[in-house]
Amino acid sequence: MRDEGAAQTYTSTAKILHWAIAVAVCAQISRCLWMIGIPKAPPGIRVYWFNVHKSIGITLGLIILVRLLWRLTHRAPPLPSTVPAWQRVAAKLSHVLLYVCMIVMPLSGYLGSSFTKYPIVYFGTRLPHWGWESPALKELCSQVHFVTVIVFMTLIAIHVAAALKHLLVNRDGVFQRMWRRNFPAPGPTNS
């Protein structure tokens, strides 16, 4: 008989996509924070790193779409019955906001690059330029991109803190739903 309070696990595909995107997005944000400090002159070094950022961002955007499609066609395992209702609502809301950020970030970056006279170079290959030069639209997209990154970093911090709380304090199996290894059995310790 199955314990109704026990956490069920995500599929291997969901876990791989989750962790691959998590590592790649954190690396992308770290690189971006470093990259914005590169002087504009001479332009070659800055242009190179911005093109790398755009190439990785486009790739991540496509992988995130795959993750979103997977998520929409595969239900998440239910949370253990011991998780309070307010935490269920908070988890749902934070996951929706994480997905919104993961869609808005690459989209706003791509659109912003489309409203400049400069081509979008994807790992050395120029992509077709469909946009037009519009400093106002470029600035709007840049601001949306920047604000989304700030919101996203905040959500990531909350997500990690909640996951660690479930692992180290609650010990309720919620963390293990997205992890490949088994940790000690959830539940209070007997000291």
Side-chain angles (χ1 to χ4, degrees):
M1 187 171 195
R2 193 171 77 71
D3 177 8
E4 292 301 318
Q8 297 175 27
T9 185
Y10 281 89
T11 65
S12 294
T13 302
K15 291 177 187 179
I16 290 167
L17 286 169
H18 174 273
W19 290 106
I21 290 170
V23 169
V25 164
C26 289
Q28 178 78 331
I29 290 172
S30 298
R31 185 175 27 267
C32 176
L33 294 173
W34 165 79
M35 186 180 78
I36 58 177
I38 299 173
K40 292 186 177 186
I45 296 170
R46 187 175 173 93
V47 168
Y48 170 80
W49 282 108
F50 270 78
N51 283 331
V52 167
H53 177 76
K54 291 174 188 181
S55 297
I56 293 171
I58 290 169
T59 304
L60 269 171
L62 295 172
I63 295 169
I64 288 164
L65 283 177
V66 169
R67 172 68 174 118
L68 181 60
L69 289 172
W70 179 264
R71 180 63 186 84
L72 291 173
T73 58
H74 296 79
R75 292 181 57 146
L79 288 166
S81 59
T82 56
V83 175
W86 74 267
Q87 285 183 16
R88 291 171 187 276
V89 171
K92 181 92 164 161
L93 178 62
S94 68
H95 281 94
V96 167
L97 292 174
L98 284 166
Y99 277 110
V100 168
C101 288
M102 287 188 290
I103 298 299
V104 171
M105 275 189 307
L107 186 60
S108 61
Y110 176 79
L111 289 174
S113 294
S114 299
F115 295 120
T116 69
K117 63 183 177 183
Y118 304 106
I120 299 173
V121 180
Y122 181 73
F123 292 115
T125 302
R126 284 180 176 225
L127 297 180
H129 194 259
W130 59 268
W132 60 94
E133 188 173 0
S134 173
L137 287 174
K138 162 65 173 139
E139 182 58 26
L140 174 64
C141 290
S142 293
Q143 289 301 315
V144 168
H145 191 72
F146 178 75
V147 168
T148 304
V149 169
I150 301 301
V151 170
F152 190 55
M153 289 190 305
T154 303
L155 289 168
I156 289 171
I158 292 168
H159 186 71
V160 169
L164 291 174
K165 180 182 181 291
H166 282 287
L167 173 66
L168 303 173
V169 178
N170 296 11
R171 299 182 57 146
D172 56 8
V174 170
F175 180 88
Q176 289 83 343
R177 294 171 355 131
M178 190 50 85
W179 192 251
R180 67 179 186 84
R181 293 190 184 123
N182 292 327
F183 284 88
T189 57
N190 295 334
S191 304

